[in-house]
Amino acid sequence: MTKKVIVNADVGKGTINKNIYGHFAEHLGRCIYEGFWVGEDSDIPNTNGIRNDVVEALRNLNIPVLRWPGGCFADEYHWKDGIGPRENRKRMVNTHWGGVIENNHFGTHEFYMLCDMLDTEPYINGNVGSGTVQEMSEWVEYMTFNGESPMANWRKENGKEEPWKLKYFGVGNENWGCGGNMRPQYYADLYRRFQTYVRDYGDNKIFRIAGGANVDDYNWTEVLMREAAPFMDGLSLHYYVHPGGFWNKGPATGFSEEVWDITMQKTVYTEELIEKHSTIMDKYDPEKRIAIIFDEWGAWYDVEPGTNPGFLYQQNTIRDALVAGISLNIFNEHNDRVQMANIAQTINVIQSMILTDKEKMILTPTYHVFEMYKAHQDAERLDLNIESDSIKVGDKEIPQVSASASKAADGSVTITLCNLDKAKTADLAVDLRGKDLANVSGRIITADEMDAHNTFENPDNVKPVAFDDFQTSGSELTLTLPSKSVLSITIK
Ligand code: AHR
């Protein structure tokens, strides 16, 4: 039966912060090295050591913000090892990720250069787990102090006369786990202390992000908010979809129909997490001044057979396109509290945009969803009501269709729709109120197989195509959403 989607084009629900479309790049596996950074002497075309092909592809996504250097790596990273002449930089062991040598050739200067090339805002994550207050404080001074100071002078000696701008700074990462195995009360006190020395120099105003909860650790949020709310601008939240659980994640391809459904259900669960953490935050911050910074999310599976287990390299299929589309719709719909999200991770790690093999590069289905959704960035969210059939997953029920709508500054409306069902189509009547249904276009990404994906041999197997299979009548647009699809409709 046809289900109704009502979009009120004249009822705005606040801006969708473009940072919801943010990304994350850690010193992990082949994300930084080989992914972004190949070095100036590489045969792979590069600009000052950074791959030209990935920069070109990522610029097309309008990446608003990039988080670096970790992740768990952040709490082992000592920034002073990554500045000055590259040949003199300290070599260390990346103990957390594969035990490989980290030569520190990609450091603060290289990260800012990358952000310039991508035209993106840097989000730097500092080290609380194994670092000191002084080290963190000096990093901020090195990057942002204008004038004479020991760190500013050092920066100038290293070739950067003017300070950089630094907007987003994370004070530790997963301090309940790899960032020090702390209890919330202890971390809350450390957070208060460390952030004191994250100084605002000149007109550089830092948005301070406290390390938040793992998944449904509501006690962590409660304690952090109770003890440290006045000292933070954002509180992070991490949630990964592991179909078989953390210890038995399951493969990225070649999975069963049951696993497809579980993946969808675990993705939809993101909404419950946001709502429950936000409700706790409301108690201490009813004005919603403090943002949820969802700075790690994505579908995390077993590594590809034969690859380094510490490198977290996995394929990316139409299932991941759905994970991305549903998650982004949920973030949009919670734009009152969610002000940033950073999918893990940009290249060659977990749910990537891009996979590389030496000089070759492919775009994943997840990349295409980010591209199809980019009109939502900084647009006004529109009031949306949806009727949907349900899908039964074990003893749970999830909606078959996920949706979000927004209006851009030029008045054009974007509606994004996902059909979570692996086999059934969804008949929809989209009633767009308050805007003429003239000039409608659509793009869809879908596939016949549940694990359809792109390979270096067949890079365009899964990609968006034009969709015009809809009828319009008055304010209503009727269409059939194919199974396992993500659709973006634009009404100019
Ligand atoms: O993204 C991979 C890892 O997942 C990050 O380093 C860590 O923060 C999380 O546990």
Side-chain angles (χ1 to χ4, degrees), residues 24 26 28 67 70-74 96-97 173-174 176 178 214 238 240 246 296 300 312 344-345 349-350:
F24 171 36
E26 181 168 10
L28 193 178
R67 177 175 182 242
C72 295
F73 184 79
H96 209 92
W97 301 119
N173 168 73
E174 296 198 350
W176 40 262
C178 64
N214 184 32
H238 289 182
Y240 287 97
F246 186 78
E296 287 188 31
W300 183 345
L312 311 185
Q345 299 191 7
V349 172
I350 312 183

